[in-house]
């Protein structure tokens, strides 16, 4: 199943469950000085969770563009780290809670996408017996496939704002993808148990000092990385091998005249260029310009980093506008505005790359 189809199937499924489908918000946060860039599906909706603003509907679903730079050094070295990615999510603002969010996630994965139940595992927050019971009694997940995990993995927060305990769904990709350690299991850092969906039970508001205040109403915030679920459905070893990224790697292979899949060092460079290429295109498309501070600095740094990895592959001439064309080619169905902005995006890239 292609990335575009997964995105539209998800949104349609959630529409069927009463959600209003909204287009992705801009990567540039609106009226939120606490965030540099949007890094999660829930980020544009923080005020709906806290009750400071009224949502157009109490159920919303989106595929949200996200940029995260915390894992920059890992990008290209692992199967699944990105600076830019898309997050599929359904949100309840004081409407439904665990008893709906859990069965719907299960239904979407097993019935709509057809993932084998016996390969799925779930985690719940240490003392969340309510979620445990739903997984075990209503869904019928066997006890050996439900693990209780602590605050480091099963409590979701991104700076100050709405947050809460979460329950994650994993797929076992098989021992051949594992680290082989005797303690390998859900929560292990290796590639065997891949976290595919995070269901957050958003019940608290965290302030800048780290105090947690219960929110007036209970909410749901879920997030499933589109590239990741695409890698599972397409049966490929990494997000970079999905139809969402492989064409961009192909463009880089073409320019550098190297082949993907031969040498680790070359592959890392190709992946970094593909990843950063996507981030650059979407950031510029959302109005960010290269500069020495804030968002503009993130963009400048990613662009220069992509150029540096291009040099490592032996590319001596400016090349990023050609990468941008591949990015727009992949994104045109999900983000038709990219096509309109393509000329502008390439101009900004060309000017900065020249500098
Ligand atoms: N906010 C949570 C996450 O980003 C779930 O959407 O994982």
């Amino acid at each position: 199943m292609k990335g575009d189809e997964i995105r539209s199937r998800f949104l349609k499924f959630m529409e069927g469950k009463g959600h209003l489908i909204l287009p992705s918000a801009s990567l540039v946060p609106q009226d939120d000085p606490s965030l540099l860039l949007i890094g999660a599906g829930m980020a544009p909706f923080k005020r709906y969770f806290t009750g400071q603003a009224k949502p157009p509907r109490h159920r919303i679903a989106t595929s949200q563009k996200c940029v995260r730079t915390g894992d920059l050094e890992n990008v290209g070295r692992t199967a699944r780290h990105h600076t830019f990615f898309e997050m599929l999510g359904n949100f309840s603002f004081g409407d439904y809670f665990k008893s709906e969010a859990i069965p719907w996630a299960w239904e979407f994965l097993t019935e709509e996408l057809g993932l084998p139940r016996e390969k799925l595992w779930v985690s719940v927050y240490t003392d969340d017996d309510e979620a445990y019971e739903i997984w075990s009694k209503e869904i019928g997940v066997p006890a050996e496939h439900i693990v209780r995990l602590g605050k480091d993995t099963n409590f979701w927060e991104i700076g100050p704002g709405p947050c809460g305990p979460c329950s994650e769904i994993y797929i076992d990709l098989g021992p051949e993808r594992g680290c082989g350690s005797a303690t390998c299991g859900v929560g292990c850092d290796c590639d065997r148990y891949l976290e595919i969906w995070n269901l957050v039970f958003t019940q608290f508001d965290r302030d800048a000092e780290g105090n947690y205040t219960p929110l007036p109403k209970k909410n749901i915030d879920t997030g499933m990385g589109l590239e990741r679920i695409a890698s599972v459905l397409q049966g490929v070893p990494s997000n970079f091998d999905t139809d969402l990224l492989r064409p961009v790697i192909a463009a880089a292979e073409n320019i550098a005249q190297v082949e993907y899949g031969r040498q680790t060092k070359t592959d890392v460079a190709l992946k970094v260029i593909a990843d950063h290429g996507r981030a650059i295109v979407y950031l510029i498309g959302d109005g960010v310009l290269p500069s020495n501070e804030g968002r503009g600095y993130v963009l400048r740094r990613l662009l220069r980093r992509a150029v540096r990895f291009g040099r490592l592959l032996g590319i001596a001439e400016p090349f990023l506008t050609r990468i941008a064309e591949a990015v727009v080619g992949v994104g045109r169905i999900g983000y038709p505005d990219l096509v309109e902005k393509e000329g502008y995006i390439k101009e900004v890239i060309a000017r900065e790359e020249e500098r």
Side-chain angles (χ1 to χ4, degrees):
M1 203 184 290
K2 296 230 190 285
D4 284 330
E5 187 181 346
I6 301 170
R7 187 196 300 111
S8 65
R9 296 263 286 251
F10 173 80
L11 295 174
K12 229 184 169 69
F13 178 88
M14 288 301 167
E15 192 171 35
K17 305 288 185 199
H19 293 78
L20 172 69
I21 308 306
L22 290 182
S24 171
S26 166
L27 283 166
V28 178
Q30 312 292 312
D31 300 326
D32 186 353
S34 77
L35 292 179
L36 196 58
L37 289 162
I38 295 296
M42 59 79 73
F45 303 136
K46 279 161 71 177
R47 285 155 178 264
Y48 297 160
F49 287 114
T50 57
Q52 285 163 298
K54 198 173 143 24
R57 199 185 291 176
H58 291 284
R59 299 179 180 189
I60 288 178
T62 57
S63 182
Q64 174 64 45
K65 297 175 272 190
C66 296
V67 168
R68 288 186 188 174
T69 50
D71 289 322
L72 191 59
E73 300 296 330
N74 277 328
V75 172
R77 299 181 198 282
T78 70
R80 51 178 194 259
H81 282 98
H82 296 293
T83 56
F84 174 87
F85 62 97
E86 263 184 79
M87 196 170 252
L88 304 171
N90 53 296
F91 309 96
S92 156
F93 308 108
D95 188 50
Y96 63 85
F97 201 46
K98 294 178 195 177
S99 325
E100 289 83 10
I102 292 176
W104 290 347
W106 189 258
E107 183 187 337
F108 183 71
L109 292 179
T110 60
E111 289 173 34
E112 188 73 21
L113 300 184
L115 295 184
R117 285 155 208 264
E118 65 284 359
K119 291 205 174 143
L120 298 178
W121 288 64
V122 300
S123 67
V124 298
Y125 186 56
T126 333
D127 58 1
D128 190 351
D129 295 330
E130 191 186 0
Y132 190 99
E133 295 291 299
I134 298 172
W135 283 120
S136 144
K137 299 225 167 84
E138 280 176 46
I139 312 286
V141 176
E144 1 17 305
H145 277 215
I146 311 179
V147 297
R148 291 180 187 264
L149 295 174
K151 193 166 182 234
D152 49 334
T153 57
N154 276 51
F155 190 93
W156 198 86
E157 54 195 337
I158 192 169
C163 56
C166 58
S167 179
E168 301 185 316
I169 307 173
Y170 298 78
I171 187 158
D172 179 0
L173 295 173
E176 61 284 5
R177 295 284 292 277
C179 57
S181 136
T183 55
C184 179
V186 165
C188 181
D189 264 349
C190 78
D191 285 338
R192 175 166 177 181
Y193 295 92
L194 183 68
E195 181 212 321
I196 45 179
W197 204 341
N198 186 15
L199 316 179
V200 185
F201 311 126
T202 312
Q203 302 172 53
F204 302 103
D205 192 14
R206 199 189 98 167
D207 65 20
E209 283 79 49
N211 304 306
Y212 296 89
T213 314
L215 287 166
K217 288 184 180 158
K218 291 179 176 165
N219 311 281
I220 290 292
D221 152 29
T222 88
M224 172 158 57
L226 178 64
E227 297 77 3
R228 228 183 245 203
I229 190 71
S231 79
V232 172
L233 291 167
Q234 294 172 17
V236 293
S238 88
N239 297 2
F240 292 93
D241 298 286
T242 67
D243 71 313
L244 295 164
L245 277 138
R246 189 62 184 85
V248 188
I249 290 195
E253 279 180 284
N254 228 321
I255 299 164
Q257 290 294 306
V258 295
E259 214 177 307
Y260 176 61
R262 300 242 159 179
Q263 263 193 318
T264 310
K265 212 175 143 200
T266 310
D267 285 358
V268 169
L270 290 169
K271 289 173 182 173
V272 168
I273 292 168
D275 171 86
H276 292 9
R278 291 206 310 165
I280 293 162
V281 164
Y282 283 91
L283 283 168
I284 298 173
D286 279 346
V288 180
L289 284 168
S291 80
N292 282 338
E293 53 184 27
R295 289 181 272 279
Y297 182 64
V298 173
L299 170 60
R300 173 162 281 168
R301 187 153 170 234
L302 290 173
L303 194 146
R304 293 185 176 196
R305 224 170 160 262
V307 171
R308 185 156 63 78
F309 278 88
R311 287 281 161 87
L312 286 178
L313 291 178
I315 307 174
E317 296 297 309
F319 69 102
L320 286 177
T321 55
R322 287 167 68 190
I323 297 295
E325 284 164 13
V327 173
V328 173
V330 172
R332 61 197 324 132
I333 295 185
Y335 300 92
D337 61 307
L338 274 189
V339 181
E340 283 158 43
K341 294 175 187 158
E342 183 172 353
Y344 164 76
I345 293 171
K346 282 163 60 178
E347 262 171 51
V348 175
I349 291 176
R351 215 178 311 135
E352 179 71 3
E353 192 173 8
E354 200 57 48
R355 290 185 58 166

